[in-house]
Amino acid sequence: MRILFVHPNYHSGGAEIAGSWPPAWVAYLSGSLKKAGFDDIHFVDAMTNDLTDEQIAAEIRRISPDVVGVTAITPSIYAAERILEIARDEHPHAVRVLGGVHATFMYKQVLSEAPWVDVIVRGEGEEIVIDLMRTIDEERWPEDRRKIKGIAFREDDQIVATHAAATVKDLDAIEPDWDILEWNKYTYVPLGTRVAIPNFARGCPFTCSFCSQWKFWRDYRVRDPKKVVDEIEKLVTDHNVGFFILADEEPTINRKKFVEFCNELIARGLPDKIKWGINTRVTDIMRDKELLPLYRKAGLVHVSLGTEAAAQLKLDQFNKETKVNDNKEAIRLLREADIFVEAQFIVGLDNETEETLEETYRMAWDWQPDLANWAMYTPWPFSPLFQDIRDQVEVFDFSKYNFVTPIMKPSAMTRGELLNGVMKNYRRFYMQKALFHYPWRGTGFRRRYLLGCLKAFLKAGFARTFYDLGKAGYWGPQSKDKVHFDFDETRTLAEAQVADWESAADRASRAAERRAAIRAQGKERAAERAAAAKVCGGGTQQLPENA
C-alpha cells in the first residue's frame, strides 16, 4: 500500500523568520509505520518548497497513493483541507486522512466545512495510524472503521467519533524516520546551519488557560535521555544537523531526566558539534539556577521564556503561576550563565491599551533579555480561555490564528493601533540592541549568534514577511488606520461544533451542580448528626430535671 504525507503550505511571518523548520510529525509517523511493515511511504513538503495547488496536484498524480495524509495546526487547517480536496479531485480512490491538534478538538467543525475528509485522527498518531492503515490495507475500510479507536468520520448525515485511544506509553519504542526529510532545506538562520526538532517528552502538568498542549498530549511522559541523545547523535552524523530545538513545551519539568540528558550530551562530546534551544517556564529556571552552567556546558544556548505578560493581572488571567519579579530574576540568571534568553510577551487582550504596551516595552528593556517577542493573543478555540471570552470573539477565520494577526480587538484600541504599538516596541527594542549591544557584547560565538538573530529579523523585515506586514499593508505609524487584515468573514462556527461545546458546557454545569448538591447534602447530614447527638445527651445544655 502506498502512503503519501503532505505538509500544508502555510506562512505567517512568525517563528519561521528564524529558519525553515523540518516537519517532525512525518518522521515520527513514518518511523512507526515502517516498523509496522509499511515501507512504501512518500512525503511532499509543500510549505518549505512553497508549492502551489497545481504543483501539489501534480505530485498526487505522480505518486498515485492509496492514502493521502496531512496534519494541521489551527492556522494551517484550511490549507490542509484544501490538499485533501485536491486529492479527492485528482485521485478519488485514495483515503483522505487529517490529523493534528486542531482536527483533534475541532473534528465536528472540520467534517462540517470539509466533508471530503474521510477520517480524522484524534490525538497522538503513531499507534492510531497503524490501526488505520492496516484496516485500509486489508480492505476492511470503511466497514470496520468503528472498531478503530481515536478517529472521527462522517457516516451518512452524522459525525461519529470512536472511543479515544490511549496515549503512547512507550515513547522510546518510536523510531523516527528522519531520512524522509529534505535536510538541505531546513536551516536555522542565526547560525546558518541545519536544524532539527526532536522530542524529549510529551504532555505538560500545567494548565495555562490559553494553551492546548496539556489537553492534546494528556498525561506527561519522559523518554529515556540516552535514547534521545542517540537520536540527536544520528541527526548530527547522518544529516549534518548543527542546531536543534526540543519540541516539548517544557523539557525541564523532570529535572533528573533533563540533567541526565545534558550529562549524556557532554559525555559523547556533542556540544562541540551541535548547539540547542528550549522553551521553558520561569519557575524552572529559578529552581535550577545552580544547574545553569551545566546546561550551558551541554550546548544549551537559547532559552525562550514564557514570561507572557508584564502585568501581574495578565499572569493571573493566563494561570501562569508566576510573579513579574520572577521573570526579571530568571532572565538575569540565564544571562549570567551565558545562555541567550528570549522573553515572550502576549498582547492584544480586551484590556490592552497604549499604556500597557508601553509597560511591556519598559519592562523588556529593564529586564534586558537578548531577544524579545510580542505575540498577539490567539484564542485557540479549544482552550479554556476561549470558552471564557467566546462572546468577545468576532473572527472565526482560523487561517489568521497565527500569533501575528490581532484576532481580538481591545476595547480601547483598533486592531491597526494594536499592530502599530507592537511594531513600535519591536523597532525600539531591536534598534537599541543593534546599535549598542549586539556588535559590542562579547566575542566569538555570542557575538556571532546575536548578529545572526539580527540578520533573521532584518531579512524578514526587508522582505516584509515579518508579522505578515506585507499582507496587512503596514508601512509604519502613518498606515495604522489603513491596515487591512482581510479576515474571511464567511467563516463561521459550524452548528455541530457549537452544539458540541454547549453540550460539554451543560455537562460541566450539571457536574458542578451535582458536586454542590453532594456537598450540601453532606453538610445537612452532618448537621442532623450533630442535632441527634445533642438530643441524646451530647449537647451543651441539659433538659430541666422536671421536664
Side-chain angles (χ1 to χ4, degrees):
M1 184 175 75
R2 182 167 298 168
I3 301 167
L4 169 62
F5 289 122
V6 185
H7 192 66
N9 186 11
Y10 178 83
H11 301 270
S12 67
E16 65 192 86
I17 69 169
S20 299
W21 307 103
W25 68 272
V26 74
Y28 284 96
L29 289 185
S30 296
S32 297
L33 285 167
K34 287 185 176 180
K35 191 174 180 181
F38 297 91
D39 54 10
D40 193 359
I41 302 176
H42 303 257
F43 176 55
V44 172
D45 190 345
M47 179 178 178
T48 300
N49 294 301
D50 197 21
L51 300 184
T52 64
D53 285 358
E54 291 73 19
Q55 290 171 314
I56 294 171
E59 286 294 287
I60 292 174
R61 288 194 301 269
R62 180 182 66 83
I63 296 169
S64 188
D66 298 294
V67 177
V68 178
V70 297
T71 190
I73 56 176
T74 294
S76 67
I77 185 61
Y78 304 141
E81 291 172 357
R82 176 61 182 147
I83 289 169
L84 295 185
E85 186 177 22
I86 293 169
R88 178 200 64 185
D89 296 339
E90 298 294 333
H91 200 60
H93 299 298
V95 178
R96 299 175 291 276
V97 184
L98 175 61
V101 63
H102 184 88
T104 290
F105 295 114
M106 301 286 287
Y107 64 89
K108 290 190 175 182
Q109 175 77 25
V110 172
L111 292 172
S112 296
E113 68 192 10
W116 53 84
V117 175
D118 289 320
V119 58
I120 287 174
V121 172
R122 297 162 45 233
E124 293 175 88
E126 286 89 354
E127 294 178 349
I128 299 171
V129 79
I130 291 173
D131 290 342
L132 175 61
M133 296 304 170
R134 282 177 176 158
T135 301
I136 297 170
D137 189 37
E138 295 168 6
E139 298 183 352
R140 295 184 287 108
W141 179 271
E143 290 78 11
D144 284 357
R145 57 187 173 180
R146 284 180 175 264
K147 297 179 181 179
I148 304 171
K149 290 184 178 180
I151 66 171
F153 50 86
R154 292 187 70 97
E155 189 174 77
D156 299 324
D157 294 329
Q158 289 187 323
I159 294 174
V160 178
T162 63
H163 290 294
T167 55
V168 178
K169 302 306 179 187
D170 187 4
L171 294 179
D172 293 320
I174 300 173
E175 298 175 5
D177 174 25
W178 293 116
D179 295 339
I180 201 168
L181 299 175
E182 303 174 81
W183 283 105
N184 62 314
K185 298 181 178 178
Y186 305 119
T187 304
Y188 186 58
V189 173
L191 292 178
T193 188
R194 293 184 183 180
V195 61
I197 312 178
N199 192 239
F200 180 73
R202 290 184 181 178
C204 181
F206 302 104
T207 57
C208 295
S209 62
F210 58 86
C211 185
S212 63
Q213 292 298 311
W214 58 275
K215 293 179 66 178
F216 181 81
W217 299 110
R218 292 143 71 187
D219 53 313
Y220 176 67
R221 293 144 288 150
V222 186
R223 295 176 60 192
D224 179 348
K226 290 186 177 181
K227 293 281 189 180
V228 182
V229 177
D230 286 343
E231 195 172 312
I232 291 166
E233 192 167 35
K234 183 177 176 65
L235 287 167
V236 172
T237 303
D238 295 355
H239 302 294
N240 199 29
V241 172
F243 190 83
F244 70 86
I245 296 176
L246 290 177
D248 316 26
E249 289 296 298
E250 187 186 357
T252 53
I253 292 174
N254 188 318
R255 179 166 58 178
K256 179 181 177 182
K257 293 280 189 180
F258 191 73
V259 169
E260 289 178 21
F261 171 70
C262 291
N263 284 328
E264 189 67 22
L265 287 169
I266 295 169
R268 301 193 198 185
L270 286 171
D272 294 332
K273 302 175 183 177
I274 190 168
K275 299 295 188 280
W276 49 289
I278 62 171
N279 298 290
T280 194
R281 288 168 62 96
V282 166
T283 49
D284 283 15
I285 297 301
M286 303 283 284
R287 180 199 69 192
D288 295 351
K289 57 185 176 182
E290 303 297 331
L291 292 168
L292 295 181
L294 171 68
Y295 298 169
R296 179 63 182 86
K297 184 179 179 181
L300 175 61
V301 298
H302 190 134
V303 170
S304 180
L305 272 185
T307 51
E308 313 299 9
Q312 188 62 48
L313 176 63
K314 287 186 181 179
L315 290 175
D316 294 340
Q317 185 175 7
F318 293 152
N319 198 23
K320 286 297 295 183
E321 302 174 12
T322 58
K323 302 297 181 184
V324 169
N325 288 338
D326 294 342
N327 296 334
K328 183 176 182 178
E329 177 65 9
I331 289 170
R332 184 189 69 80
L333 291 169
L334 286 166
R335 293 181 66 239
E336 287 185 354
D338 196 30
I339 296 173
F340 304 108
V341 55
E342 177 180 0
Q344 300 276 357
F345 296 98
I346 293 179
V347 297
L349 269 76
D350 179 70
N351 59 352
E352 199 72 73
T353 63
E354 291 185 5
E355 289 73 25
T356 59
L357 287 173
E358 178 66 23
E359 182 182 8
T360 63
Y361 170 74
R362 288 199 304 268
M363 283 198 169
W365 194 251
D366 176 55
W367 297 348
Q368 277 299 302
D370 297 291
L371 304 158
N373 180 37
W374 284 267
M376 295 291 184
Y377 169 62
T378 301
W380 298 130
F382 30 80
S383 67
L385 190 54
F386 182 91
Q387 299 300 326
D388 293 339
I389 65 170
R390 198 171 91 193
D391 292 342
Q392 303 172 35
V393 179
E394 302 170 339
V395 176
F396 298 102
D397 178 356
F398 293 131
S399 68
K400 304 295 186 179
Y401 280 49
N402 50 24
F403 291 113
V404 303
T405 303
I407 299 301
M408 305 297 294
K409 180 195 171 300
S411 297
M413 307 177 74
T414 66
R415 288 186 174 89
E417 289 170 338
L418 173 60
L419 177 62
N420 183 62
V422 169
M423 289 302 106
K424 180 181 177 182
N425 284 358
Y426 273 113
R427 283 193 298 268
R428 290 184 293 173
F429 184 87
Y430 284 101
M431 185 174 293
Q432 292 194 73
K433 286 288 186 180
L435 292 175
F436 305 114
H437 287 244
Y438 291 166
W440 323 111
R441 298 297 172 94
T443 58
F445 180 79
R446 166 165 279 275
R447 184 171 181 271
R448 180 165 68 94
Y449 189 87
L450 289 173
L451 290 176
C453 291
L454 182 61
K455 174 186 174 182
F457 273 105
L458 291 174
K459 181 180 178 182
F462 283 121
R464 300 194 47 75
T465 55
F466 177 64
Y467 238 78
D468 257 359
L469 296 182
K471 295 179 183 177
Y474 178 84
W475 292 92
Q478 72 279 5
S479 64
K480 64 182 180 182
D481 296 327
K482 301 176 183 177
V483 174
H484 52 88
F485 298 106
D486 300 325
F487 297 123
D488 183 350
E489 296 181 2
T490 67
R491 298 285 184 178
T492 59
L493 292 174
E495 290 183 9
Q497 187 67 57
V498 173
D500 189 49
W501 282 341
E502 291 175 348
S503 176
D506 287 343
R507 289 195 299 272
S509 177
R510 289 196 298 271
E513 289 175 0
R514 286 196 297 272
R515 289 193 295 270
I518 291 171
R519 286 194 294 269
Q521 288 175 3
K523 291 179 180 179
E524 185 177 326
R525 289 170 182 166
E528 290 174 353
R529 287 194 295 270
K534 291 179 180 180
V535 169
C536 294
T540 58
Q541 297 179 344
Q542 296 294 321
L543 292 173
E545 289 183 359
N546 59 353

